[in-house]
Amino acid sequence: MTGYRLGYACGPVDIIDAMMKIHQYGIMSAPTLSQAAGVEALDFGDKDVDLFPQVEGRILQRHYQNGDYVKKGQRLISIDPTPYRLQVQSDEANVKAAEAVLSTAKLQYESQQKLFEKKIVSEYVMKTAQNSYLTAQAQVAQAKAALSNSRTNLSHCTLVAPISGVVTALEDNIGTLVAPG
């Protein structure tokens, strides 16, 4: 199976018989990888995928060789996750800090509301506490969004095969600095 092409032939009986002998030998002798590649070519022959890293970093490992058959989801490249792991830790701490500020702002707002109802503090003082509480809620939401983004970036440190097939042109070597796009 050259080039993973499958087909049929028409012609005189004596030529077709000779071709069948060669074809049968080729089928009996085809290595498993060639047979698997042939099936993949039939199933996904029109799929050609270009892969690019989505984060910047140095390649730590290649988990394939050009020409290897890989399955969907199989790791291809590992990019140094250190800066992304540290960003996740920083963002986790930011979420905890924002939640602590929110908790304090909530207590202050609830306290000012009670004092306002008893006419001990002005409406301005109560509204200021309310705005601080709303601002703290927004800061928690921002911190959680940043954490989600940093976790996504960390997950992109592993480049995986989006489909099963044969790797043909990934050429980055260990230690190479890669960037998105």
Side-chain angles (χ1 to χ4, degrees), residues 30-107:
T32 304
L33 178 61
S34 295
Q35 293 174 13
V39 170
E40 283 298 317
L42 288 173
D43 288 344
F44 303 105
D46 60 340
K47 291 186 180 178
D48 187 22
V49 178
D50 293 325
L51 295 178
F52 298 99
Q54 294 182 323
V55 294
E56 182 178 305
R58 295 215 177 270
I59 294 177
L60 294 180
Q61 289 181 305
R62 275 179 59 168
H63 306 280
Y64 71 93
Q65 296 295 325
N66 281 336
D68 283 355
Y69 177 81
V70 296
K71 293 184 179 180
K72 179 179 179 175
Q74 183 175 333
R75 284 186 305 166
L76 299 175
I77 292 177
S78 295
I79 297 171
D80 183 6
T82 304
Y84 302 100
R85 190 175 298 122
L86 292 172
Q87 186 62 53
V88 166
Q89 291 172 351
S90 176
D91 288 342
E92 287 172 341
N94 289 340
V95 167
K96 288 179 182 177
E99 288 173 340
V101 169
L102 174 62
S103 179
T104 301
K106 181 179 180 186
L107 289 173

Side-chain angles (χ1 to χ4, degrees), residues 129-172:
Q130 181 183 27
N131 288 340
S132 294
Y133 177 57
L134 294 172
T135 299
Q137 286 178 325
Q139 289 170 337
V140 168
Q142 284 179 319
K144 287 181 176 181
L147 176 58
S148 177
N149 188 51
S150 63
R151 284 180 174 157
T152 298
N153 285 339
L154 179 60
S155 74
H156 290 315
C157 288
T158 302
L159 188 64
V160 298
I163 62 171
S164 296
V166 177
V167 180
T168 59
L170 282 172
E171 298 179 7
D172 292 322

